[in-house]
Amino acid sequence: MQNPLPFLPRSGLFASVLTLIASGALAETTVSAVMHSDLRVLDPVITTAHITRDHGYMIYDVLIAEDADGEIQPQMAEFEVSDDGLTYTFTLRDGLQFHDGAPVTGADVVASLERWGQRDTGGQTIMDVTASIEATDERTVVWTLNEPFGPLLATVGKPSGVPPFIMPQRIAETPADQAIQEHIGSGPFKFVPDEFQPGVGVSYLRNDDYVPRDEPASNYAGGKVVNVDKVRWITMSDSMTAVNALQSGDIDLIESMPVDLIPLLEGDDAVVVEKRAEFGFQTMGRLNFKHPPFDNQQIRQAALMAMSQEPILAALTASPEFYDLCGAIFGCGTRYEDATGTETLTAGGDPETAKKLLEEAGYDGTPVVLMQPTDGPTLRAQPVVAAQQLRAAGFNVDMQPMDWQTLVTRRASMDAPANGGWNVFFTNWQIAEIANPISNVMLNGRGDQGWFGWPEDPEIESLKQEFIAATTPEEQKAVTDRIQAHAMEFVTYIPLGEYNFPQARRTALDEMLPTASPVFWNLTKAE
């Protein structure tokens, strides 16, 4: 196998690349991966972008984590819960230190949790009932509640959305609406600032001072044993270039393998194509509640009626083997599955009813600024097909192309669409991230304090409180059914079905954990 490329520029400057390969500069064991997106935003608290979360898992660690059975396990800390459910005590394990050599202390944990609690949907809900979070000594943190919050451990230990990564206190005290400027964690890899170039790639070195837990790795829990020296994420927006690089051995992994290119890998014994996990992703449309026309509920309902899942999913994955029609906002096959209010989405849409709703609402042709990412195989198809469906129902759609990371930055703007804002974009969530009302970021109804689109929805916040207070699975399911119905009537977002893109890897890369997104501990690479 050839040495991996140090970085492959989007423009494909192969002469420079070949010079770097020939230089023999990559003597260490290096894993080179093409992830689902370019990395630009490095602060894993101010964005829910999956690539930034993945970056977070490389360099940070978490107090507790979810194992492969969905159970919460100790990670950085052991934990105890008082009998009345009001006090949670976390005790840091031995050997924890940040990449700058400083020990991890209770004060670091407190500052990190408080910043996380300002941004994460579940964290905000916990903070509503939090009396205090205090470091009682260097290794002990006591979290005291005013009233019980049954899913606290599950919310703190969830694998995605915004995980509560632990940072040094001085960094975690950065205001939650400002990006951190230092990127120092205590996790299994160290970020290499000099090799971070947006649009080109990013590098991570093994943290030789990291002390893994003794338990075997299981999902995001257990011992994070690193068996390679370096990991490089290389940006290749052209899928054919990535496939060629995989076949030649210049890269080891494509996270999201375009389904229509899989035949190119058939018969190549050095490459395997596989699904990562049982549950895949839900794709969805998000409307901006702050500006016309989607500040009008009836016009939001027209948008929902205009859309049909099948054409969108077919364009996204190119094969029914990799997608399923599903209107359940908590995912199909999950505990809280219910598809109330999405019948038209899975039955071909209803553009005629959409036209009537637009007429009744007095829609005046206000342009709908639809942001269209042009890179990333899991993101580019949805806006193109949805724009056609919206236009067929009578919407005036202004589709604006951009790369995904530009979209991730722009979606945070509350400005009017004509001034650099937006009206609609499409995104994807892992099913595990949206499978309950506390972790589902899209159901945040706190207006400006919520997720992009900023719906103000006191009713859904009240329903979430009912879910927390429910004492039996049956009571919880009754509440989630009501949330499904309300979210579709309010058009909190538009669920557009489920898909499960495979990954493609060199067979030299082995022992990868079947996590929903790739992690780079535990794996091995044969040279």
Side-chain angles (χ1 to χ4, degrees), residues 11 19 180 299 328 355 366 408 412 444:
S11 55
T19 299
I180 59 175
I299 294 178
K355 291 176 183 178
T366 297
V408 166
N444 191 317

Short mmCIF file of all heavy atoms in Angstrom, two decimals, residues 11 19 180 299 328 355 366 408 412 444:
data_model
loop_
_atom_site.label_atom_id
_atom_site.label_comp_id
_atom_site.label_asym_id
_atom_site.label_seq_id
_atom_site.Cartn_x
_atom_site.Cartn_y
_atom_site.Cartn_z
N SER A 11 -8.58 21.09 -5.64
CA SER A 11 -8.28 21.28 -7.05
C SER A 11 -7.49 20.14 -7.65
O SER A 11 -7.26 20.09 -8.84
CB SER A 11 -7.52 22.59 -7.23
OG SER A 11 -6.36 22.59 -6.41
N THR A 19 4.84 14.39 -4.91
CA THR A 19 6.12 14.77 -4.32
C THR A 19 6.12 14.49 -2.83
O THR A 19 7.10 13.98 -2.26
CB THR A 19 6.40 16.26 -4.57
OG1 THR A 19 6.47 16.48 -5.98
CG2 THR A 19 7.72 16.69 -3.93
N ILE A 180 -14.48 29.22 21.08
CA ILE A 180 -13.24 29.09 21.84
C ILE A 180 -12.05 29.28 20.89
O ILE A 180 -12.14 29.00 19.70
CB ILE A 180 -13.15 27.73 22.56
CG1 ILE A 180 -13.21 26.57 21.55
CG2 ILE A 180 -14.26 27.60 23.60
CD1 ILE A 180 -13.00 25.20 22.16
N ILE A 299 -48.53 28.72 6.08
CA ILE A 299 -47.58 28.59 4.97
C ILE A 299 -46.58 27.47 5.26
O ILE A 299 -46.15 26.75 4.36
CB ILE A 299 -46.90 29.94 4.70
CG1 ILE A 299 -47.93 30.96 4.19
CG2 ILE A 299 -45.75 29.79 3.69
CD1 ILE A 299 -47.39 32.35 3.93
N ALA A 328 -42.05 9.32 11.30
CA ALA A 328 -41.94 9.43 12.76
C ALA A 328 -40.79 10.35 13.13
O ALA A 328 -39.64 10.09 12.77
CB ALA A 328 -41.73 8.04 13.37
N LYS A 355 -51.32 24.37 -2.49
CA LYS A 355 -51.70 25.57 -3.22
C LYS A 355 -52.87 26.29 -2.54
O LYS A 355 -52.88 27.52 -2.42
CB LYS A 355 -52.09 25.21 -4.66
CG LYS A 355 -50.93 24.76 -5.52
CD LYS A 355 -51.41 24.33 -6.91
CE LYS A 355 -50.26 23.82 -7.76
NZ LYS A 355 -50.74 23.35 -9.10
N THR A 366 -43.36 35.99 -1.72
CA THR A 366 -42.09 36.27 -1.03
C THR A 366 -41.08 35.18 -1.36
O THR A 366 -41.37 33.99 -1.22
CB THR A 366 -42.32 36.31 0.50
OG1 THR A 366 -43.23 37.38 0.80
CG2 THR A 366 -41.01 36.52 1.25
N VAL A 408 -23.41 25.91 7.40
CA VAL A 408 -23.40 25.76 8.86
C VAL A 408 -23.18 27.11 9.53
O VAL A 408 -23.77 27.40 10.57
CB VAL A 408 -22.31 24.74 9.28
CG1 VAL A 408 -22.02 24.82 10.77
CG2 VAL A 408 -22.74 23.33 8.91
N ALA A 412 -26.71 30.16 11.30
CA ALA A 412 -26.72 30.80 12.62
C ALA A 412 -27.16 32.25 12.56
O ALA A 412 -27.41 32.87 13.60
CB ALA A 412 -25.34 30.69 13.27
N ASN A 444 -36.61 21.90 20.15
CA ASN A 444 -36.39 23.01 21.07
C ASN A 444 -37.32 24.15 20.71
O ASN A 444 -37.27 24.69 19.60
CB ASN A 444 -34.93 23.46 21.00
CG ASN A 444 -34.54 24.42 22.11
OD1 ASN A 444 -35.29 25.34 22.42
ND2 ASN A 444 -33.37 24.21 22.69
#
